[in-house]
Amino acid sequence: MSTTNDIIIVGAGFSGLAAGLKLKKLGIASIIIEAQDRVGGRTKTEFLPDGTQIDLGGQWIGPTQNRMYELVDKYDIKTFNTIAEGSPTIQFEEGKFIENFPIEVQNLLEKVDDLAKSVNVDRPWETPDSEKLDHETFKTWLEKNSDSKEVASFVGRILAGGLLSANSGEISVLQMILYIATGNGTAILLGMHGGAQQDRLIGGPQYVAKCMAEEFGLENIFFNHKVEKIEYSDDVVDVTVSSDKKFRGKKVILAIPPVLANKLIFEPALPVLKSRMLKQILPGSALKFHAIYSSPFWRKKGISGVTNSNFGFITESVDNSIPNNKKGIITFFAYGDEANILRSKEADERKELLLYDLATLLGNEAKSPDNFIEFDWDNELNTLGCFSGHFAPGGIVNYGMFLRKNVKSIHWAGTETSTVWNGYFEGAVHAGEREAQEIALLLGAKIK
């Protein structure tokens, strides 16, 4: 048993790494225990044999995500604007393509934004009409407040799907507008230039995590150590990993997705309301695909490769090509119900269905990529879903107040707990630093 650690952090994603670096800055020793053989959590960057960068998980940063830009600058990591040369393609009516959201869609998005302004992001259960908003699904609200079912369906796909990777009938109105409020509105959350998808990173976001890990000290990160059990009291915690090895510390920060925290054994058992809270947070359901071509053929047609569709399996796509690389890459997503239907198919049929939909949006050339890559974070045992977790309807008003509440020596981080850019790298960093600072205060450290 190790007894030399002040603080134990579980998870080497952005939240865990940020917590570790903050504690180090405050002069408090900590270690990180990570189930995988890598850092980065829900981001994973791989490279094709020719060096082409493929981001399998989270990949973007944008304005007001200040902590991420500070880290990027600190480690001298180069960024580049997401490529969008040409006009977007929007399929609002089947078989018809337009360049801008219909006015009816814009009006509904404005209604959503107006409602999001009422959210108490720190205490969302105290939002006006929170009971009603958290027990009504976003799907029902959209249908009540839109001009047509087509408008409701489209906005549900781009918001519930594109942001929370869920079906609009699976989340509450309060959960949706809370997420929107922490990200500064739908225009920023959906946008590229000036929005959350503005910038990408040379080397991928995982390279930022690697730099954070090196600064923290790789010798203080225990890879391939899957936590199974946490024994805790007011002033000591023992963390047991699958090899029956134990780590002891004064505090532990759980910086892992709630769906994974819910699988841990706690002794004593967590307070009932804390335990039930964890069961209320559902992981996102997203499938991410990359179609790689010898060149970005769509640009010759004057279209950007940026699409949104109210039909088929593909909700949205982007031009994910890399500057100074001749290959053209279209990255596209399926969410919620569509993702689950695709999961029920064999890989060849899934690919055929998706390329048919992609060709509908971009032209027949899309049917013949040189390479086709799919990634399902639900298959990753140490993640079990992406992008991030969200409360089931009724979960925020009944259990939201227990989300960030520590249990004796156990503290809770992760992007799901952030009141700033919830669901993003930025939110993860804020959450990790928040818990590190709180622990430092509890231990009597002097905070400048």
Side-chain angles (χ1 to χ4, degrees):
M1 175 184 292
S2 173
T3 60
T4 59
N5 313 294
D6 283 345
I7 309 301
I8 299 169
I9 300 165
V10 179
F14 279 86
S15 205
L17 291 166
L21 287 174
K22 182 71 171 181
L23 289 169
K24 184 176 182 178
K25 184 178 180 181
L26 295 170
I28 299 172
S30 65
I31 62 169
I32 297 177
I33 302 174
E34 169 57 51
Q36 302 183 89
D37 61 359
R38 63 176 184 84
V39 298
R42 286 169 275 192
T43 184
K44 187 176 183 181
T45 304
E46 294 188 350
F47 297 88
L48 300 182
D50 64 358
T52 300
Q53 175 182 322
I54 301 293
D55 290 318
L56 298 173
Q59 64 177 58
W60 286 291
I61 61 174
T64 77
Q65 296 180 7
N66 299 328
R67 288 296 293 119
M68 285 300 297
Y69 281 105
E70 288 170 5
L71 289 167
V72 166
D73 289 342
K74 180 180 184 179
Y75 301 126
D76 195 26
I77 295 171
K78 305 303 181 186
T79 66
F80 63 94
N81 291 148
T82 300
I83 300 171
E85 298 179 9
S87 302
T89 302
I90 298 167
Q91 185 179 206
F92 178 69
E93 297 181 74
E94 191 165 14
K96 297 182 180 180
F97 305 99
I98 54 179
E99 295 182 10
N100 299 299
F101 290 161
I103 187 64
E104 299 89 349
V105 168
Q106 295 178 37
N107 290 339
L108 187 54
L109 289 172
E110 288 180 7
K111 287 183 182 179
V112 174
D113 280 325
D114 287 341
L115 191 57
K117 293 174 184 176
S118 70
V119 175
N120 182 333
V121 294
D122 294 311
R123 303 170 69 84
W125 51 92
E126 294 182 1
T127 295
D129 295 324
S130 60
E131 284 280 347
K132 177 182 177 182
L133 292 171
D134 203 30
H135 285 95
E136 181 175 16
T137 69
F138 190 48
K139 176 182 172 67
T140 300
W141 185 91
L142 288 172
E143 290 174 348
K144 288 180 181 177
N145 287 274
S146 63
D147 297 315
S148 67
K149 288 186 176 180
E150 289 75 21
V151 172
S153 170
F154 186 78
V155 174
R157 279 173 70 110
I158 64 174
L159 292 184
L163 301 181
L164 287 169
S165 49
N167 183 282
S168 62
E170 298 173 336
I171 59 172
S172 72
V173 181
L174 183 57
Q175 173 65 91
M176 188 74 257
I177 60 175
L178 171 61
Y179 190 96
I180 290 168
T182 70
N184 304 311
T186 60
I188 288 177
L189 285 165
L190 297 174
M192 289 190 168
H193 182 68
Q197 287 71 232
Q198 174 175 287
D199 291 320
R200 295 185 60 202
L201 311 174
I202 297 294
Q206 194 177 359
Y207 182 55
V208 182
K210 288 179 180 178
C211 293
M212 294 171 75
E214 290 172 0
E215 182 182 356
F216 176 74
L218 292 173
E219 70 278 6
N220 297 316
I221 302 178
F222 293 80
F223 293 102
N224 299 307
H225 280 57
K226 186 175 180 65
V227 172
E228 292 188 344
K229 182 179 180 181
I230 295 179
E231 300 166 86
Y232 66 97
S233 63
D234 286 321
D235 52 11
V236 68
V237 61
D238 288 325
V239 177
T240 303
V241 298
S242 51
S243 61
D244 288 332
K245 183 177 181 180
K246 282 189 178 182
F247 297 85
R248 171 165 287 183
K250 296 175 183 176
K251 306 279 186 183
V252 63
I253 299 175
L254 292 184
I256 55 177
V259 66
L260 298 181
N262 188 47
K263 292 180 177 294
L264 300 179
I265 298 170
F266 293 91
E267 288 190 4
L270 292 175
V272 171
L273 293 175
K274 185 74 173 186
S275 178
R276 290 187 66 84
M277 180 276 298
L278 288 174
K279 293 179 175 65
Q280 293 292 313
I281 302 179
L282 308 174
S285 177
L287 294 176
K288 187 175 187 179
F289 304 90
H290 307 266
I292 303 165
Y293 303 89
S294 58
S295 66
F297 65 85
W298 50 92
R299 295 180 200 165
K300 295 178 181 179
K301 301 181 178 185
I303 57 178
S304 65
V306 177
T307 74
N308 290 108
S309 180
N310 212 9
F311 303 92
F313 294 103
I314 300 173
T315 295
E316 57 189 347
S317 72
V318 295
D319 183 338
N320 229 25
S321 308
I322 307 295
N324 302 317
N325 186 315
K326 66 178 182 179
K327 290 185 181 297
I329 303 173
I330 292 291
T331 294
F332 51 99
F333 301 84
Y335 305 115
D337 292 347
E338 289 76 27
N340 288 332
I341 294 170
L342 288 169
R343 288 185 177 109
S344 72
K345 311 293 184 183
E346 295 297 327
D348 287 346
E349 183 181 2
R350 186 161 54 239
K351 177 181 177 181
E352 183 179 354
L353 290 168
L354 287 163
L355 292 179
Y356 175 86
D357 282 353
L358 197 61
T360 300
L361 296 165
L362 300 178
N364 283 332
E365 300 97 321
K367 289 183 178 179
S368 304
D370 296 337
N371 202 345
F372 183 86
I373 298 170
E374 65 174 27
F375 201 81
D376 186 352
W377 284 90
D378 275 58
N379 288 330
E380 299 295 296
L381 295 179
N382 297 306
T383 305
L384 296 179
C386 217
F387 309 134
S388 64
H390 56 270
F391 275 102
I396 295 175
V397 294
N398 289 320
Y399 305 104
M401 60 287 299
F402 303 105
L403 179 61
R404 294 184 292 276
K405 186 177 178 61
N406 63 297
V407 179
K408 295 188 175 181
S409 55
I410 306 175
H411 290 248
W412 309 79
T415 191
E416 286 87 354
T417 72
S418 182
T419 59
V420 178
W421 282 103
N422 186 291
Y424 291 76
F425 300 135
E426 181 78 7
V429 171
H430 275 269
E433 293 177 341
R434 179 198 69 226
E435 292 308 309
Q437 177 125 335
E438 181 177 336
I439 285 173
L441 290 171
L442 291 172
L443 296 180
K446 293 182 179 180
I447 309 294
K448 293 183 180 181

